[in-house]
Amino acid sequence: MRNYRKVPFRVFKIETGCSSKKDVTPTNLNTSPSQRVFLVTDVGSAFQINTNGFVAMAEPSAESTYLGKMPVEFGMIAALHGDLDTSDGVGKVYYRQDASPAILQQAANHINRAFPEEDEPEHTVVVTWVGVTSSQNHDNSRVDSLRNSFQLVIASTVTASYAILLYPREQLQFASTVSGGRSLALHVGFSKGLSTYRLFTRQGPYYRITTEDESSVRELAEGTNSGKQGVWVFQIGNPFFTSVVPGTVKNLPMDTDHRSRVLDQATPERYPEEGQQVNYPPYEPDEEVYDEGNPHQGPSHRVQYQPQNPQVVVVDDGDINVNVFTYNSETCANNRNRCSTFADCRDYTSGYCCHCRPGYYGNGIQCLSEGKPQRMNGKVNGRVYVGNSPTPVDFNNNDLHSYVVANDGRAYVAISTIPDNLGPSLQPLSAMGGVIGWAFALEQPGYKNGFSLIGGEFTRKAEVTFLPGQEKLTINQVFSGIDEHDHLVVSTTLDGRVPEIPRGATVQIESYSEIYHYNSNLITSSSTRDYIVSLADGSTVTKTYQWRQSISFQSCPHEEASRAILPTQMLSVDQVFVMYDSDNQLIRYAMSNKIGDVNGGQQEEENACFTGRHGCDTNALCRPQQGAHFTCECHAGFTGDGRNCYGIPHVCGHHSVCNNQPGSFRCECDTGYQFASDGQTCTEVGRPVDHCAAGSHDCDLPHRAHCSYSGGSSYTCTCLTGFQGDGRVCQDVDECQSNRCHQEAVCSNTEGSFTCRCRPGYYGDGSYCSSERTKTQCETHRDRLLGPQRPRPVPVGQYVPTCDSQGAYEATQCHGSIGQCWCVDRSGQEIPGTREVVRPPVGPTPRPDVHPLPPGTNLLFAQSGRIEFVPLESYDMKKTKAKTVLHLPEKVIIGVAYDCVEKMVYWTDITSPSISKANLQGGEPVPVITSDLESPEGIAVDHLGRTVFWTDSMKDRIEMATLDGAQRRVLVDTDLVNPRAIIVDPVRGVMYWADWNREAPKIETAAMDGTNRKVLVQNGLGLPNGLTYDSQSSLLCWADAGSHMIECMDPVQGTRRKVKEGIQYPFGMTSYGKNIYYTDWLRDAVVVVDRHAAKETDEFLPQKRTRVYGITMAHTQCPSGQNYCSVNNGGCTHLCLATPSGRTCLCPNNAVGVGCVEGDRY
């Protein structure tokens, strides 16, 4: 009873005459006995409003079949049912649908008194019977006869429907009518009608409010169940009458006026004040007939009409002053955007419907590409009791994930965080996630799966009864459609009790079939299933449960062909797999699903398209041919031979961006532009334009000049530092002409800048050069033994220290004569416990100051369900040789990191959520961290200390672990809001991270053990997403999606400079040599920026145009350098974390009774 189309307030009149007269005129509803009118709703059926005081859910049979014979065979809401009459011209019936705020609030007030904290209604249907009399007074037509006036309001909230019955005091003047020669009390109640099952039909639920005693009818105006006299509220279920729950507030407040009254503005009449006599106007036959084009002339019409000309007609009739709204016919012209991008809108006589185009399937509102794998995500809430336990197990937003291979009907479902005392007992309930199997089942010829028929918005309610103990569990699921990631979204609530299955026991479920019964807006099924429990001692026991479910949805009522749904279809389920994973606290279900004929249809089973054994690509559709032959066709947006399918790249025009869709794409105009009449070209909107942002200015190139927006459509051009001119033409300034370097340095002019380099024999940065250089402690120590000018013989057994390029002690020192190595601190003192015997190195170990890009170096980047690589040649991308290295279609990969030692790639996945790794030379993904994660994003690997670091933006913390995930430690968990990017400098023992908190973004640093934390950057940040650190230049750089800039700084000196402005929406970032590589969400590209020239030099557009996430560099050789943890784990028992001054030994968070020792920080 939800999502009504708005129907006008219409007042109808039926001329007097015999009971067979059916002509109606839209004025006052004055009917002869048993007359009825129809209220057509969007749910595909019609309410039939009957003058005998009830609303029917289906067309009633003859009067003799229901008067005095309750319950009846059809669905009924009896507001005050009896043998009533309105043919004397005084009695009237009014109705309308109303979603106005005033009426919704008034209905909510009534509902909330009876059912506190219920949601406000979204729609109401209001029906009012005014001055109706008993049919026994029909012959004399006395206007002073006893008359009744009462009202029914049907209100629908998000989760349920309610019936509000209002009986004004003094307006209930008789309590019975005569039927079959005997007086019968008027009836109030709810009847489900006949319910049809597979092999039989029986009377559905029947809830009666009044009794055979007339006093129960008179009590309606005096009593209440909602706390207000004469107002009665009942929850009637959704769909109707699945359960009827009365309000329980029977006490009336002592200090209020108890008079009940119909909803304000809900009907055209106003009831007189208490104690006054109702004065009914005399009946005068009205020969005028209402016509939709001319409300005062024309032939009569039946109620089921649709006015074509919306208008407002004011009808004045005595006490009535009503605005009568004709129905505003819904057409494709003003509702086309409600259809899917992949659907066509078609107009029908009574409205419009959406239909998916060829190559897509669904209900037209939501369409999916045929053959495309489908995922479902959601949360599970509720509580479940196990066995005889008095304490429930609560579900609080537990994750539910499902994946379906649509072209073979195989569905996988997993629910997380299931404790050991419940997990084994949930194993029999494979059908808990089986609804997605039905929704995307493999279709047999002539049959449709759930999504093809009803789309992705529906409500499913299931009830499980376990035998013989009669434990019951209810499963309520609300499916809210496809989200922006093309995932089906579901909310699940569990409530009830399940029989206990011991820990360690497994469950086997054999293949089964289930028959689904289809109606216009309701699908039902029921079955009895057996399952085999295998206990730990090897014994088995077979158990049984009864299963029944209903699926309610909203269909399009306007096309008759769309209602021609087969009344029954059979879902066949086989290869059922269930398992409780106690280590990860996961319950897993898997099953293969086919939808087809209830009689089997075995002949078609020979074709591989109907068995799922076809071998087509997951992005392909299997097309059956004659006999057992078939073909594989890549679905929309993909190309290939069907066995292997590849995404087709798309490029939009100027001033537009490409928005990827399932198997296709959509071009969207940039801000300030709109589609022209051809629907393809983006033209400028007639308003002020920021030419700087639009790129339509005439300033010089971005690496020479800067465009500044000055309001309106104005801007100014200014040459950048190092250039001169008017901003539109800028020329390089030769800084070397002005003697900017030291006299003992060589100046080299570059475009926009210059470099200074000391001459041979001099030392310095070029701006200052000296012939003398102060030696460091390590160099003094070394030269004292070797001699400052030339090598001299070293005594046998003499140890000589090694110094790095900066003159500091190498972190690891070795003595070749004795074959031992050890770690030293900054002063060259040995760190106790780090000495070990090693094989002496063979040959020299050169230490160049600048590493050339090694052969075989690649860029790795994540793109949703895959990791791709682009080879590098020098600093340039070899774009034609890019390809996918890992295909993970069920994942959303955010961050990537590379271990140069073992040639492993590590990544974060927000769907599981988890952290995993894989060998790039081949091999399956290996889970590293699978628990206590919510949204892992940034990730970094310490290749020296053999550890991995990551950020979690939901748990707001930074963690690390050994590379196998066995030992894990939280490092930072305070003052974080949205941490994302993280990088480590293992040689210096420092880590950096960015927090894109929109209120206070920042970039921070700390030692790798989490100590010495400090903020590096706070000002001028927007959304710092990407970070990178270049160890050669000691520069920390970041990409900001809020300020649209790339900036760099020296984290030690604090100097900061802008590298590139005007970038769009950067996400991930890495660097090598002179280049910065970043991923851009709006461009769906990998972009290259020359850090020295401060300009963009290249971009790579992946074949699959979707968002590009994390990016990292994969070297064939590890960067040089050591830290205190790279040898013998730094002497630590468990975790060794490098720091600027040495290392820290830490224990993992889960170290209980493992003999862990936390050492001093060096």
Side-chain angles (χ1 to χ4, degrees):
M1 284 308 300
R2 293 182 291 134
N3 300 323
Y4 293 118
R5 185 185 65 243
K6 181 178 284 188
V7 176
F9 186 146
R10 290 202 294 266
V11 185
F12 294 87
K13 171 187 173 183
I14 297 183
E15 297 178 351
T16 58
C18 65
S19 60
S20 61
K21 186 175 179 66
K22 302 294 184 183
D23 289 340
V24 287
T25 57
T27 316
N28 297 334
L29 177 57
N30 305 321
T31 69
S32 58
S34 78
Q35 292 299 316
R36 55 194 180 272
V37 297
F38 299 80
L39 176 60
V40 182
T41 73
D42 267 352
V43 293
S45 60
F47 284 155
Q48 305 206 12
I49 303 171
N50 197 291
T51 57
N52 281 328
F54 66 85
V55 171
M57 304 296 113
E59 184 173 1
S61 49
E63 212 175 44
S64 59
T65 63
Y66 62 80
L67 282 178
K69 298 180 180 179
M70 298 296 288
V72 293
E73 296 181 352
F74 53 89
M76 172 193 284
I77 301 177
L80 198 62
H81 168 45
D83 192 2
L84 307 179
D85 181 40
T86 60
S87 63
D88 58 2
V90 178
K92 304 177 182 68
V93 180
Y94 304 92
Y95 77 90
R96 73 171 177 195
Q97 294 186 60
D98 198 326
S100 64
I103 295 304
L104 294 179
Q105 183 59 54
Q106 198 165 354
N109 293 340
H110 288 306
I111 293 172
N112 289 334
R113 282 196 307 270
F115 298 91
E117 299 182 3
E118 177 56 273
D119 295 334
E120 182 174 312
E122 295 181 343
H123 306 276
T124 62
V125 177
V126 183
V127 186
T128 311
W129 290 262
V130 180
V132 297
T133 186
S134 171
S135 61
Q136 66 193 66
N137 295 325
H138 173 64
D139 293 336
N140 56 28
S141 298
R142 294 175 53 196
V143 297
D144 59 346
S145 301
L146 297 177
R147 298 181 182 275
N148 286 343
S149 295
F150 50 95
Q151 187 176 70
L152 165 66
V153 179
I154 302 173
S156 299
T157 69
V158 175
T159 58
S161 293
Y162 294 83
I164 307 171
L165 299 166
L166 302 102
Y167 303 99
R169 180 181 287 184
E170 304 298 332
Q171 303 306 309
L172 292 188
Q173 299 178 355
F174 65 94
S176 63
T177 60
V178 175
S179 179
R182 53 195 185 99
S183 178
L184 299 175
L186 294 174
H187 182 95
V188 181
F190 307 93
S191 176
K192 175 71 172 178
L194 294 181
S195 296
T196 302
Y197 298 86
R198 182 178 179 184
L199 301 175
F200 62 91
T201 300
R202 70 182 182 188
Q203 181 66 44
Y206 171 53
Y207 186 94
R208 183 166 185 179
I209 301 170
T210 56
T211 66
E212 298 297 336
D213 191 341
E214 291 186 12
S215 64
S216 66
V217 179
R218 299 187 184 96
E219 177 62 22
L220 294 173
E222 303 296 331
T224 181
N225 69 355
S226 69
K228 186 173 180 67
Q229 183 174 347
V231 180
W232 301 76
V233 182
F234 298 86
Q235 187 183 82
I236 58 177
N238 189 8
F240 283 161
F241 317 130
T242 52
S243 62
V244 176
V245 181
T248 58
V249 184
K250 298 182 178 180
N251 297 324
L252 293 171
M254 300 302 296
D255 56 346
T256 60
D257 184 359
H258 301 328
R259 293 169 301 185
S260 63
R261 192 173 66 177
V262 293
L263 291 180
D264 292 342
Q265 304 176 1
T267 62
E269 71 285 355
R270 295 294 183 128
Y271 285 101
E273 295 299 322
E274 182 178 14
Q276 295 180 337
Q277 177 64 38
V278 180
N279 296 316
Y280 295 102
Y283 169 64
E284 296 179 4
D286 184 359
E287 298 301 331
E288 288 186 325
V289 180
Y290 184 95
D291 175 66
E292 52 191 309
N294 184 341
H296 301 294
Q297 298 180 16
S300 62
H301 294 271
R302 294 187 181 274
V303 175
Q304 301 94 320
Y305 73 99
Q306 297 292 337
Q308 302 300 316
N309 303 311
Q311 55 185 299
V312 177
V313 182
V314 180
V315 180
D316 292 314
D317 184 17
D319 295 334
I320 305 174
N321 186 354
V322 186
N323 284 338
V324 182
F325 293 84
T326 60
Y327 175 67
N328 184 4
S329 180
E330 295 184 350
T331 64
C332 290
N334 49 17
N335 289 278
R336 193 178 305 277
N337 61 344
R338 293 189 60 187
C339 297
S340 166
T341 306
F342 310 105
D344 296 317
C345 185
R346 300 177 194 170
D347 284 319
Y348 297 91
T349 303
S350 58
Y352 72 94
C353 290
C354 304
H355 302 272
C356 295
R357 296 170 186 160
Y360 298 86
Y361 68 105
N363 65 345
I365 302 297
Q366 295 179 326
C367 300
L368 294 173
S369 182
E370 291 181 345
K372 174 182 176 293
Q374 187 57 43
R375 294 182 54 228
M376 178 178 74
N377 295 326
K379 301 293 184 181
V380 182
N381 290 282
R383 55 177 50 190
V384 176
Y385 294 84
V386 180
N388 298 321
S389 174
T391 305
V393 177
D394 291 326
F395 287 78
N396 185 16
N397 284 330
N398 295 50
D399 288 321
L400 183 152
H401 297 285
S402 182
Y403 180 76
V404 180
V405 182
N407 60 12
D408 66 11
R410 185 72 174 167
Y412 304 87
V413 181
I415 303 175
S416 66
T417 323
I418 308 296
D420 291 345
N421 58 337
L422 173 62
S425 302
L426 290 182
Q427 293 181 94
L429 297 176
S430 62
M432 182 159 57
V435 65
I436 194 172
W438 163 79
F440 298 100
L442 193 63
E443 297 173 337
Q444 305 302 294
Y447 295 87
K448 299 291 184 182
N449 60 30
F451 195 90
S452 296
L453 293 174
I454 68 175
E457 296 184 5
F458 55 90
T459 300
R460 179 226 205 178
K461 181 176 181 180
E463 183 179 272
V464 188
T465 303
F466 295 88
L467 302 178
Q470 297 298 314
E471 297 93 345
K472 290 184 182 295
L473 178 71
T474 60
I475 305 170
N476 289 294
Q477 293 181 299
V478 177
F479 291 79
S480 50
I482 303 296
D483 65 10
E484 67 275 12
H485 301 294
D486 301 325
H487 301 165
L488 184 60
V489 180
V490 61
S491 173
T492 303
T493 303
L494 304 178
D495 185 32
R497 186 179 297 273
V498 297
E500 183 176 11
I501 293 179
R503 299 182 186 184
T506 59
V507 170
Q508 180 181 351
I509 300 176
E510 299 296 333
S511 302
Y512 64 87
S513 298
E514 187 174 359
I515 295 180
Y516 282 69
H517 302 270
Y518 295 78
N519 292 300
S520 58
N521 291 287
L522 182 67
I523 302 171
T524 60
S525 69
S526 60
S527 63
T528 300
R529 301 178 189 168
D530 294 336
Y531 59 96
I532 302 171
V533 179
S534 299
L535 302 175
D537 61 4
S539 61
T540 62
V541 58
T542 300
K543 297 191 176 185
T544 302
Y545 65 78
Q546 294 175 340
W547 170 275
R548 64 177 183 176
Q549 68 175 344
S550 63
I551 299 171
S552 56
F553 60 98
Q554 180 177 330
S555 62
C556 186
H558 307 299
E559 183 195 18
E560 290 296 332
S562 67
R563 305 178 193 175
I565 302 174
L566 291 170
T568 57
Q569 296 188 109
M570 184 169 70
L571 179 70
S572 300
V573 182
D574 58 13
Q575 302 179 54
V576 183
F577 168 81
V578 299
M579 182 190 74
Y580 174 65
D581 182 351
S582 59
D583 292 336
N584 296 305
Q585 293 193 321
L586 288 172
I587 185 75
R588 301 182 185 273
Y589 307 108
M591 64 215 73
S592 296
N593 308 269
K594 291 182 289 188
I595 196 79
D597 186 4
V598 296
N599 297 316
Q602 294 298 320
Q603 184 174 357
E604 287 80 1
E605 292 291 328
E606 298 176 358
N607 195 295
C609 289
F610 308 130
T611 63
R613 302 186 182 95
H614 43 67
C616 298
D617 190 272
T618 55
N619 289 309
L621 185 66
C622 184
R623 297 282 190 188
Q625 306 295 325
Q626 185 174 5
H629 298 286
F630 65 93
T631 60
C632 299
E633 297 179 7
C634 297
H635 64 70
F638 290 81
T639 184
D641 60 3
R643 301 282 182 172
N644 296 282
C645 299
Y646 309 93
I648 301 174
H650 303 286
V651 179
C652 296
H654 294 295
H655 309 301
S656 64
V657 295
C658 182
N659 187 347
N660 192 58
Q661 301 289 326
S664 185
F665 73 106
R666 180 174 70 247
C667 294
E668 298 176 351
C669 291
D670 291 337
T671 302
Y673 292 83
Q674 63 185 8
F675 282 118
S677 57
D678 62 1
Q680 298 177 352
T681 305
C682 291
T683 58
E684 186 176 356
V685 179
R687 62 181 181 182
V689 176
D690 182 353
H691 291 284
C692 295
S696 53
H697 58 80
D698 60 354
C699 300
D700 206 336
L701 296 176
H703 71 277
R704 297 177 184 167
H706 176 67
C707 179
S708 301
Y709 179 56
S710 55
S713 296
S714 302
Y715 61 92
T716 58
C717 300
T718 306
C719 292
L720 298 177
T721 302
F723 295 89
Q724 60 185 2
D726 61 1
R728 288 170 170 77
V729 177
C730 298
Q731 296 180 342
D732 176 55
V733 175
D734 187 353
E735 292 87 356
C736 293
Q737 298 295 326
S738 57
N739 298 322
R740 302 284 292 273
C741 299
H742 189 270
Q743 60 184 8
E744 298 298 339
V746 177
C747 180
S748 300
N749 186 58
T750 61
E751 188 177 23
S753 186
F754 66 100
T755 60
C756 299
R757 182 175 302 171
C758 295
R759 301 179 188 274
Y762 290 85
Y763 304 91
D765 60 3
S767 61
Y768 175 80
C769 300
S770 172
S771 60
E772 296 183 0
R773 177 174 176 268
T774 303
K775 294 181 180 180
T776 65
Q777 179 182 356
C778 180
E779 290 171 331
T780 301
H781 185 184
R782 179 193 61 192
D783 293 346
R784 187 175 66 247
L785 298 172
L786 296 177
Q789 301 298 329
R790 63 180 64 86
R792 65 189 180 197
V794 178
V796 177
Q798 177 67 55
Y799 156 69
V800 178
T802 56
C803 308
D804 64 16
S805 60
Q806 306 300 318
Y809 284 98
E810 291 277 7
T812 301
Q813 299 289 323
C814 294
H815 190 179
S817 299
I818 61 175
Q820 293 182 358
C821 292
W822 59 92
C823 296
V824 298
D825 58 21
R826 286 188 171 183
S827 63
Q829 297 300 309
E830 180 179 351
I831 298 175
T834 62
R835 186 176 289 260
E836 64 178 10
V837 178
V838 295
R839 179 176 297 178
V842 178
T845 55
R847 189 193 61 222
D849 292 333
V850 178
H851 292 276
L853 197 66
T857 299
N858 298 281
L859 280 174
L860 294 176
F861 63 91
Q863 193 177 31
S864 189
R866 65 178 67 191
I867 297 177
E868 299 191 19
F869 73 88
V870 183
L872 295 181
E873 184 174 18
S874 183
Y875 295 106
D876 301 325
M877 296 186 294
K878 302 170 69 174
K879 295 182 282 188
T880 59
K881 296 186 178 181
K883 61 182 180 180
T884 300
V885 68
L886 276 176
H887 187 56
L888 305 163
E890 72 280 8
K891 306 295 184 183
V892 176
I893 301 170
I894 301 298
V896 290
Y898 181 70
D899 176 21
C900 58
V901 176
E902 296 182 339
K903 314 301 181 187
M904 303 284 284
V905 61
Y906 289 72
W907 67 87
T908 59
D909 168 30
I910 61 172
T911 56
S912 308
S914 63
I915 296 173
S916 304
K917 64 180 179 180
N919 192 309
L920 290 183
Q921 307 305 316
E924 293 297 318
V926 178
V928 178
I929 305 292
T930 58
S931 63
D932 198 25
L933 295 173
E934 289 191 28
S935 184
E937 296 186 13
I939 186 171
V941 169
D942 173 7
H943 68 282
L944 298 177
R946 314 307 295 148
T947 51
V948 60
F949 296 72
W950 70 90
T951 61
D952 193 315
S953 65
M954 295 296 291
K955 287 186 173 294
D956 298 333
R957 66 192 189 193
I958 296 173
E959 295 187 68
M960 60 77 59
T962 52
L963 292 182
D964 59 1
Q967 301 178 43
R968 180 173 172 182
R969 174 87 178 208
V970 175
L971 299 176
V972 181
D973 61 358
T974 60
D975 196 25
L976 293 175
V977 177
N978 293 114
R980 176 169 286 162
I982 185 170
I983 53 178
V984 295
D985 179 6
V987 174
R988 293 172 175 83
V990 178
M991 62 179 175
Y992 307 91
W993 67 89
D995 187 332
W996 59 269
N997 173 15
R998 292 180 183 272
E999 302 299 330
K1002 58 186 176 181
I1003 297 173
E1004 296 186 86
T1005 183
M1008 290 173 64
D1009 64 355
T1011 61
N1012 297 323
R1013 177 184 179 185
K1014 66 177 180 178
V1015 176
L1016 285 177
V1017 186
Q1018 276 183 306
N1019 299 324
L1021 295 179
L1023 294 174
N1025 277 337
L1027 279 179
T1028 184
Y1029 181 77
D1030 178 23
S1031 60
Q1032 301 304 314
S1033 63
S1034 299
L1035 286 180
L1036 174 71
C1037 301
W1038 64 90
D1040 194 315
S1043 66
H1044 306 291
M1045 287 192 297
I1046 295 176
E1047 297 184 76
C1048 293
M1049 74 175 300
D1050 186 321
V1052 177
Q1053 299 179 2
T1055 55
R1056 173 179 174 183
R1057 71 179 183 93
K1058 297 178 182 178
V1059 173
K1060 184 74 172 71
E1061 297 180 275
I1063 63 177
Q1064 295 191 30
Y1065 203 106
F1067 188 84
M1069 190 179 191
T1070 190
S1071 64
Y1072 193 82
K1074 66 176 183 177
N1075 281 351
I1076 291 175
Y1077 306 85
Y1078 73 90
T1079 60
D1080 194 295
W1081 271 13
L1082 292 183
R1083 297 168 65 173
D1084 292 335
V1086 177
V1087 185
V1088 185
V1089 172
D1090 186 320
R1091 177 163 49 86
H1092 297 160
K1095 64 179 181 179
E1096 179 181 322
T1097 60
D1098 201 3
E1099 76 167 351
F1100 170 64
L1101 299 173
Q1103 185 180 31
K1104 181 181 179 183
R1105 297 300 303 276
T1106 59
R1107 281 183 173 177
V1108 189
Y1109 292 88
I1111 186 170
T1112 192
M1113 193 71 63
H1115 301 288
T1116 54
Q1117 301 174 9
C1118 290
S1120 65
Q1122 297 288 327
N1123 67 22
Y1124 292 93
C1125 297
S1126 58
V1127 177
N1128 195 30
N1129 196 38
C1132 299
T1133 60
H1134 287 75
L1135 296 174
C1136 180
L1137 296 172
T1139 66
S1141 60
R1143 63 95 172 92
T1144 299
C1145 298
L1146 293 179
C1147 294
N1149 290 128
N1150 59 353
V1152 178
V1154 293
C1156 180
V1157 177
E1158 289 198 344
D1160 295 333
R1161 292 178 170 88
Y1162 294 94

